[in-house]
Amino acid sequence: MDLLYNLTMESNIKVSLNKEQKEAVEYVSGPVLILAGPGSGKTRVITHRIAHLINQCGVRPYNIAAVTFTNKAASEMRQRLFGSDELGDSLGLLGHVPNQRDFTVSTFHSLCSLILRLDGSLMGLAKDFVIYDRDDQLTLVTKAMEISEIDPKRFSNRAILDIISSSKSKLITSDNYNAQTGNPMDRIIEVVYKSYQNLLEQSKGVDFDDLLLKTNLLFNNNPSILKKYQDRYQYLMIDEFQDTNMAQYNLATKIAGKRENICVVGDPDQSIYSWRNADIRNILSFQEDYPKCKVISLNENYRSTSTILDGAYGVISQNTQRIERKLTTSNPKGDPIFVGEAYNPEEEAQLVMKEINRLRVERGYLYNDFAVMYRVNSQSRALEEGCLRNSIPYKLIGGLRFYQRKEVRDLIAYLRVIVNPHDNVSLLRIINTPPRGIGQKTIDEIAELSDKNKISIYAAMELAANAKFVEDSKRSGRSHRVISKFVDLVTNLIHDSDGLDPTSIINLILEMTGYRVYLEDQGDQGTERMDNIEELKVTANKFQNVDPEDRFIEFLQGIALVSDIDSLDDSQDSIALITLHQAKGLEFPAVFIVGLEEGLLPHIRSFDYADQMEEERRVFYVGMTRAKECLYITRSFRRGYMGNGVSNVASRFLMDIPSALMSHFSSRSIPIGSVVTDVIKQSGASDLSDHATETSPMEVGQKVRHDRFGDGIVVSCTAIGYDYQVTVAFKADGGVRNLLLGYANLQLLD
DNA sequence: GGGCTATTGCTTTTT
DNA sequence: GCAATAGCCC
């Protein structure tokens, strides 16, 4: 009866796939490694493969699992296969398939969360565990350092958390962490790791890495549970395989088990998450662990013009730790890669905005067709202001991350406390927000009480609220009153929220805790914060239809596991401002990559390590290959950094793009605010180095005067783009500054 | 205990 | 340059 699925698309599949793609789709039994370059139709292959499994091979959707990098990718895949859930009328690749909801598409983290909810009790995990994100983790590490009396000035909590996190992703538990090397740092980590894990367990919390680690341990210790999932997920597919870590790899191979129906899809050249413990060697391990695995390379690019592809190849081919591979395309040559220079980030943004407006008019692009990409989030600010100045609608992903905003986190903390009042991290967050007279002194006393009796903060407060207890303590009547009031508040919240849907619970919190009034007293800022909470309610609303028993927990889990990119929404026409990392897996007709400067891209922190430098190059490569038709690359001469402006030189990566593919344009002629129609100078073959040979307008040794810096002497002068960078040593403060000739307004002295 | 000011310390990328 | 904290004063 499983064979009665819709077969109508099958003929289309054969027409629209190339030879390698078709092979990747039809090779369904046994291990497969698909090396898929950018734009090679990877998503199509995965979706067609699933369709093939269901339609041709009679596999039930229930027995298939696809693991993606983000929730967004997961929901897109589901939609491509089955059409939109809400609309019902738009059919996907498969048309109408019974039991399509049984098909699993999710991220590793979501999948593990599900498994642990169902079977985690075998490892003593509460069903309603909370998932702690990086901010919560940092709070806990800081607390653990306090307990272990580690000086936070000497050891950074972030560095320690990074090591704990990387240990967890290598499946090293706090019990197994051995400081055997004799390195004093190791000893500290060992102590903090254990303490951190204790704190987590006390709060019934699980961090991101625990989701993967604990699921692995669950499978190790309970073969019957593992078998249950092996029998369920008989066909396993893993996307973005180059960015999986060891814990994820182990999970995948365990679930695949002896059936070995595991298909991984990845591209070593797009591995950009090593800092999150992703291990590119997983691709090698896969071939070692499955010596009979079928390797299929998808090398034809259907996305980009040949110019963009060749430019990107020029960049990526400079990496030495790389298996040589060159993509081909039959796409037209298209436009050159435009390289632009601006004086400062504001002007750089202006340059981008002007071009966006020009392309809209001349080519009929929509705002949705544009993305502006950058290395670090702080760059988004100038771009955002540029959009506002030019009335260009934009969506900013993760600048100040939504779920990191104070008011959103406060509300989530309340929600978590309702589910689990013994969640210390969340409780301490809201204990005095809005202010209710519980000061640090009172909190310290309660913390002491909780330590002494080995109970949670909330339990300690209940104890302290007990009238009999207060007689034996030196606690003031006032402090006793506020504690009692708070315990009552939490009790009432738990009681009154029972059975309500998530949105109503949020409303309940806003009223009962006085949070709404607290925000209203904050004027404009309060209004903005209230808007963010409304936004949270919109998310909460989506869980209205889920089984009442689970919807609250699912909602909390959902917000813990969302990524920012998940919220990227195409329904309103606006340009996307995103980091290069977030751009992975996306494509746009026109892409702007800004900030191509030494120290930014490549980032300064990669300078001392060859492998990190190569990863920076891959980051740039990923950005370039997002572009279908137009690719713009810009840089700024000056950039504010820690308060003072610094001069940046052009990124080394610019030199790797063959000069014949580039065309320069400059900001020189477009002061901010002016309306300029055409700033593109079609200069044909020229690159940065070409200009260096031109005659310099400034002699070395020339004495000059600057409005602000006073008198100085020219140290060097190099042509860059359509301007010259002059390095001047100034007398007054001895500073050596890089100036742009066209802007510096230097006065010649004799 | 709370609110204000001064100081510090920090900047990569994020499931 | 900004945001988070420490320390001071009410």
Side-chain angles (χ1 to χ4, degrees):
Chain A
M1 67 174 199
D2 288 331
L3 299 171
L4 296 175
Y5 297 135
N6 185 319
L7 301 172
T8 52
M9 295 306 288
E10 192 58 25
S11 55
N12 277 353
I13 292 173
K14 288 184 176 119
V15 187
S16 56
L17 296 176
N18 70 28
K19 184 169 155 282
E20 289 76 24
Q21 289 175 333
K22 191 162 174 289
E23 191 177 17
V25 165
E26 291 172 0
Y27 198 97
V28 291
S29 299
V32 186
L33 167 63
I34 301 173
L35 296 168
S40 62
K42 177 188 73 172
T43 313
R44 278 163 50 84
V45 165
I46 298 178
T47 49
H48 278 90
R49 197 165 195 275
I50 292 163
H52 181 79
L53 278 170
I54 294 173
N55 284 340
Q56 299 301 101
C57 311
V59 177
R60 294 156 64 203
Y62 179 83
N63 292 125
I64 306 173
V67 180
T68 56
F69 193 68
T70 63
N71 293 301
K72 182 175 195 272
S75 56
E76 274 177 8
M77 189 178 296
R78 189 176 281 282
Q79 185 154 342
R80 280 203 199 199
L81 281 165
F82 302 116
S84 155
D85 266 359
E86 288 99 37
L87 298 175
D89 54 355
S90 77
L91 286 181
L93 196 56
L94 277 169
H96 184 71
V97 169
N99 308 322
Q100 55 177 255
R101 282 191 154 267
D102 296 346
F103 168 58
T104 301
V105 216
S106 89
T107 62
F108 269 112
H109 289 87
S110 301
L111 184 64
C112 288
S113 171
L114 181 78
I115 294 173
L116 291 176
R117 289 267 176 237
L118 288 172
D119 297 306
S121 57
L122 284 168
M123 326 183 44
L125 201 61
K127 269 201 159 34
D128 53 358
F129 63 82
V130 283
I131 299 168
Y132 282 177
D133 67 13
R134 169 128 182 138
D135 287 337
D136 301 319
Q137 287 179 286
L138 226 36
T139 312
L140 277 189
V141 169
T142 310
K143 183 87 189 300
M145 286 169 69
E146 241 168 66
I147 292 169
S148 321
E149 294 180 328
I150 308 290
D151 182 4
K153 293 229 163 63
R154 288 186 54 209
F155 300 95
S156 108
N157 52 0
R158 285 158 185 247
I160 293 182
L161 176 58
D162 283 345
I163 296 173
I164 292 176
S165 168
S166 115
S167 304
K168 285 188 176 186
S169 60
K170 289 181 194 123
L171 305 179
I172 301 167
T173 62
S174 57
D175 292 336
N176 293 338
Y177 191 94
N178 261 330
Q180 75 284 68
T181 57
N183 181 342
M185 180 74 177
D186 271 359
R187 179 70 201 142
I188 285 164
I189 304 279
E190 185 184 0
V191 171
V192 178
Y193 188 179
K194 288 195 165 74
S195 168
Y196 168 82
Q197 204 59 31
N198 275 335
L199 291 172
L200 261 181
E201 275 155 27
Q202 268 173 35
S203 293
K204 291 205 281 180
V206 160
D207 66 20
F208 278 141
D209 305 302
D210 277 344
L211 288 172
L212 308 170
L213 173 59
K214 284 187 186 291
T215 309
N216 264 294
L217 296 178
L218 174 73
F219 287 164
N220 286 350
N221 299 334
N222 304 80
S224 62
I225 296 291
L226 173 58
K227 182 164 187 307
K228 179 171 111 183
Y229 289 100
Q230 286 174 336
D231 289 343
R232 157 123 206 211
Y233 303 125
Q234 297 182 8
Y235 292 86
L236 192 57
M237 246 162 282
I238 311 213
D239 195 10
E240 305 287 7
F241 188 66
Q242 76 283 354
D243 286 321
T244 53
N245 64 30
M246 195 178 139
Q248 292 167 328
Y249 179 81
N250 277 279
L251 222 44
T253 52
K254 273 176 197 152
I255 293 175
K258 284 201 191 107
R259 285 195 181 84
E260 298 192 351
N261 288 329
I262 178 171
C263 169
V264 301
V265 187
D267 178 6
D269 286 337
Q270 293 185 68
S271 157
I272 55 174
Y273 280 92
S274 73
W275 50 272
R276 220 174 70 188
N277 308 309
D279 197 339
I280 199 166
R281 286 173 305 182
N282 280 346
I283 292 186
L284 298 176
S285 307
F286 189 83
Q287 286 169 281
E288 282 164 19
D289 290 348
Y290 300 104
K292 285 183 190 154
C293 84
K294 175 85 182 165
V295 181
I296 298 168
S297 248
L298 304 179
N299 289 329
E300 175 152 13
N301 176 298
Y302 297 96
R303 178 186 294 153
S304 311
T305 64
S306 68
T307 300
I308 292 170
L309 206 59
D310 290 346
Y313 178 75
V315 171
I316 198 67
S317 59
Q318 296 297 312
N319 271 358
T320 55
Q321 299 294 98
R322 167 175 188 273
I323 301 159
E324 168 58 22
R325 207 153 69 88
K326 192 168 189 215
L327 302 179
T328 58
T329 186
S330 54
N331 283 343
K333 212 168 151 217
D335 294 310
I337 296 167
F338 294 107
V339 179
E341 284 116 10
Y343 182 63
N344 56 32
E346 288 70 38
E347 210 180 84
E348 185 183 36
Q350 194 62 15
L351 198 65
V352 170
M353 301 310 151
K354 291 295 171 199
E355 276 306 292
I356 288 176
N357 274 335
R358 193 178 70 84
L359 288 171
R360 261 171 53 81
V361 173
E362 291 180 9
R363 304 219 180 158
Y365 282 146
L366 299 173
Y367 287 121
N368 262 343
D369 294 332
F370 296 97
V372 188
M373 302 172 187
Y374 38 85
R375 179 63 234 268
V376 301
N377 279 308
S378 60
Q379 289 174 265
S380 68
R381 196 179 175 138
L383 294 164
E384 201 176 354
E385 281 163 7
C387 286
L388 292 170
R389 199 165 45 229
N390 291 277
S391 310
I392 291 176
Y394 65 92
K395 45 198 163 234
L396 175 65
I397 314 296
L400 213 187
R401 276 191 274 295
F402 181 73
Y403 289 101
Q404 250 168 308
R405 293 190 178 157
K406 183 185 180 315
E407 60 278 16
V408 177
R409 289 194 78 85
D410 286 347
L411 255 288
I412 292 174
Y414 273 108
L415 292 165
R416 285 176 174 181
V417 166
I418 289 173
V419 174
N420 168 24
H422 305 294
D423 173 350
N424 291 339
V425 174
S426 302
L427 192 102
L428 285 173
R429 184 173 180 100
I430 49 131
I431 194 164
N432 202 32
T433 311
R436 51 175 71 93
I438 305 179
Q440 197 53 50
K441 247 188 125 184
T442 313
I443 295 173
D444 287 348
E445 276 176 40
I446 293 166
E448 206 178 298
L449 192 62
S450 106
D451 274 355
K452 210 171 73 196
N453 295 304
K454 301 246 179 293
I455 52 176
S456 73
I457 300 280
Y458 181 70
M461 289 182 88
E462 281 183 317
L463 196 60
N466 182 310
K468 190 173 170 298
F469 178 81
V470 78
E471 282 164 23
D472 323 329
S473 89
K474 40 192 189 302
R475 200 179 321 278
S476 72
R478 186 187 131 80
S479 131
H480 175 251
R481 237 185 353 264
V482 291
I483 293 174
S484 301
K485 257 185 99 180
F486 182 75
V487 171
D488 287 347
L489 174 71
V490 174
T491 316
N492 288 337
L493 276 173
I494 294 172
H495 178 264
D496 292 358
S497 60
D498 191 39
L500 293 183
D501 59 89
T503 316
S504 308
I505 296 177
I506 293 177
N507 286 327
L508 186 78
I509 292 168
L510 288 173
E511 303 314 325
M512 275 181 79
T513 66
Y515 205 92
R516 183 191 296 282
V517 179
Y518 167 65
L519 286 185
E520 277 165 3
D521 290 345
Q522 295 174 15
D524 281 356
Q525 201 178 26
T527 316
E528 196 186 316
R529 293 185 164 162
M530 202 57 221
D531 288 347
N532 287 327
I533 290 174
E534 289 299 324
E535 194 64 38
L536 186 67
K537 282 202 223 163
V538 172
T539 311
N541 239 325
K542 293 184 185 145
F543 291 82
Q544 222 75 304
N545 300 328
V546 180
D547 173 22
E549 193 76 356
D550 297 332
R551 65 186 170 196
F552 192 32
I553 299 280
E554 278 198 26
F555 166 61
L556 273 180
Q557 176 193 309
I559 52 186
L561 296 176
V562 287
S563 68
D564 292 305
I565 202 74
D566 296 341
S567 62
L568 189 73
D569 147 36
D570 300 337
S571 65
Q572 58 195 30
D573 189 27
S574 55
I575 71 166
L577 306 180
I578 52 177
T579 66
L580 287 157
H581 284 84
Q582 292 167 336
K584 190 171 81 156
L586 305 177
E587 59 174 30
F588 300 87
V591 167
F592 292 80
I593 303 177
V594 301
L596 258 279
E597 296 142 44
E598 285 291 302
L600 232 204
L601 183 59
H603 195 271
I604 189 158
R605 290 183 62 154
S606 69
F607 280 10
D608 294 338
Y609 306 92
D611 52 340
Q612 286 184 33
M613 180 58 76
E614 300 218 338
E615 180 149 316
E616 293 291 307
R617 201 181 285 278
R618 292 194 292 270
V619 168
F620 183 43
Y621 175 73
V622 166
M624 292 179 85
T625 52
R626 301 308 96 195
K628 292 160 104 166
E629 293 157 14
C630 296
L631 177 60
Y632 284 79
I633 297 165
T634 65
R635 71 179 184 106
S636 164
F637 290 100
R638 296 188 71 78
R639 194 169 290 278
Y641 181 70
M642 288 238 255
N644 39 351
V646 291
S647 298
N648 285 346
V649 295
S651 167
R652 66 191 72 185
F653 299 157
L654 281 176
M655 319 301 169
D656 301 333
I657 303 172
S659 56
L661 302 176
M662 291 196 285
S663 171
H664 288 266
F665 70 114
S666 163
S667 68
R668 285 288 312 282
S669 54
I670 47 163
I672 291 173
S674 74
V675 181
V676 174
T677 49
D678 191 2
V679 294
I680 301 290
K681 294 178 184 172
Q682 297 280 353
S683 69
S686 68
D687 72 0
L688 302 176
S689 53
D690 286 354
H691 293 274
T693 57
E694 288 170 13
T695 47
S696 164
M698 226 14 131
E699 297 283 326
V700 172
Q702 169 75 47
K703 286 184 185 137
V704 293
R705 177 168 294 162
H706 185 274
D707 289 347
R708 212 163 73 230
F709 305 126
D711 292 357
I713 189 162
V714 171
V715 177
S716 74
C717 179
T718 10
I720 300 175
Y722 284 86
D723 205 336
Y724 292 87
Q725 181 172 298
V726 194
T727 309
V728 183
F730 288 96
K731 249 187 235 161
D733 58 354
V736 180
R737 296 186 172 82
N738 293 321
L739 303 167
L740 197 58
L741 192 56
Y743 285 89
N745 197 17
L746 292 174
Q747 202 181 324
L748 299 180
L749 306 174
D750 41 35

